[in-house]
Amino acid sequence: MGKRYESLDSTHVDFISNQKLFFVATAMKDGSINLSPKGMDSFRIIDTTRILWLNLTGSGNETATHLQFDKRMTIMFCAFEGKPLILRLYGEARAFHERDSFWKEHIGQFPEIAGSRQLVEMKIKLVQTSCGMGVPLMDYKAERNMLNIWAEKKGTKGLIEYMGLKNANSLDGLPTGIFDEKS
């Protein structure tokens, strides 16, 4: 059943590298809890205790808001094919924007994707695995390209306008920091 680790080991890294989908959860002391599915080529393991995730423009920007107030983040992977497994990464994270030097130093690890809005770095405090026997088996067909097409069609100016309308404040009305000065 469930096991705990202080860092990623080679079996965890192999498992993560084969996953097409992961889930990100954040929360503040009060307000809405956010849980979002993520995909595409947006996840990197830096070392056994640190990951990077490229956050793309979406209908909200809860993760960025939450991380300004509470650095806790959980990332979960589930095996939908093969041997059952759930792998969770617990840690503290920070969001970086295009204006930040961290972004400039690390964005090259990802393909160019229209609508990229934050790099999230998480320092892993705990890795936990559990059986995953209740997770259904599903076949992977392909990545969806609709987000790329939408973001490319909007262009830089259109994305900035969209982010101003949809990504500048959280569901709870708090600022996301997307247009703040250099952090």
Side-chain angles (χ1 to χ4, degrees), residues 116-135:
S116 297
R117 71 176 168 197
Q118 287 121 1
L119 275 177
V120 177
E121 177 190 38
M122 184 171 95
K123 293 181 181 173
I124 299 168
K125 304 275 185 177
L126 173 67
V127 176
Q128 188 244 354
T129 60
S130 56
C131 68
M133 291 186 278
V135 175

Side-chain angles (χ1 to χ4, degrees), residues 8-18 45 47-48 87:
L8 294 168
D9 66 25
S10 61
T11 60
H12 302 143
V13 172
D14 290 344
F15 175 74
I16 290 169
S17 68
N18 289 314
I45 297 170
D47 59 43
T48 61
L87 185 140

Side-chain angles (χ1 to χ4, degrees), residues 3 38-39 46 82 102 105 113 120-121 140 154 166-167:
K3 293 182 181 177
K38 304 295 176 183
I46 303 304
F102 185 91
E105 293 168 20
I113 302 174
V120 177
E121 177 190 38
Y140 173 76
K154 283 224 170 272
K166 301 285 189 176
N167 294 171

Side-chain angles (χ1 to χ4, degrees), residues 89-109:
L89 307 176
Y90 297 91
E92 293 186 349
R94 182 169 174 206
F96 296 92
H97 301 86
E98 193 171 352
R99 64 183 173 266
D100 299 320
S101 60
F102 185 91
W103 173 284
K104 292 169 181 68
E105 293 168 20
H106 294 89
I107 191 62
Q109 296 183 47

Side-chain angles (χ1 to χ4, degrees), residues 11 53 65 69 71 74 87 106 110 115-116 121 161 166 180:
T11 60
W53 155 55
T65 301
F69 295 91
K71 305 251 180 257
T74 302
L87 185 140
H106 294 89
F110 297 92
S116 297
E121 177 190 38
E161 289 172 2
K166 301 285 189 176
D180 291 353

Side-chain angles (χ1 to χ4, degrees), residues 13-148:
V13 172
D14 290 344
F15 175 74
I16 290 169
S17 68
N18 289 314
Q19 302 312 303
K20 307 290 189 228
L21 171 70
F22 62 99
F23 300 86
V24 175
T26 56
M28 298 188 320
K29 182 179 177 186
D30 296 311
S32 302
I33 296 170
N34 187 58
L35 174 62
S36 296
K38 304 295 176 183
M40 302 173 64
D41 189 10
S42 64
F43 193 87
R44 296 291 180 273
I45 297 170
I46 303 304
D47 59 43
T48 61
T49 60
R50 200 167 61 123
I51 64 92
L52 278 181
W53 155 55
L54 179 61
N55 191 13
L56 305 172
T57 301
S59 58
N61 199 4
E62 300 305 297
T63 301
T65 301
H66 291 175
L67 293 178
Q68 291 179 92
F69 295 91
D70 192 329
K71 305 251 180 257
R72 294 175 305 146
M73 186 165 77
T74 302
I75 297 175
M76 184 180 75
F77 296 89
C78 299
F80 295 106
E81 301 173 313
K83 182 180 172 186
L85 180 67
I86 297 171
L87 185 140
R88 291 181 184 90
L89 307 176
Y90 297 91
E92 293 186 349
R94 182 169 174 206
F96 296 92
H97 301 86
E98 193 171 352
R99 64 183 173 266
D100 299 320
S101 60
F102 185 91
W103 173 284
K104 292 169 181 68
E105 293 168 20
H106 294 89
I107 191 62
Q109 296 183 47
F110 297 92
E112 281 190 40
I113 302 174
S116 297
R117 71 176 168 197
Q118 287 121 1
L119 275 177
V120 177
E121 177 190 38
M122 184 171 95
K123 293 181 181 173
I124 299 168
K125 304 275 185 177
L126 173 67
V127 176
Q128 188 244 354
T129 60
S130 56
C131 68
M133 291 186 278
V135 175
L137 289 170
M138 297 191 292
D139 292 326
Y140 173 76
K141 290 185 179 181
E143 294 287 338
R144 297 177 195 256
N145 65 355
M146 293 179 283
L147 181 61
N148 293 11

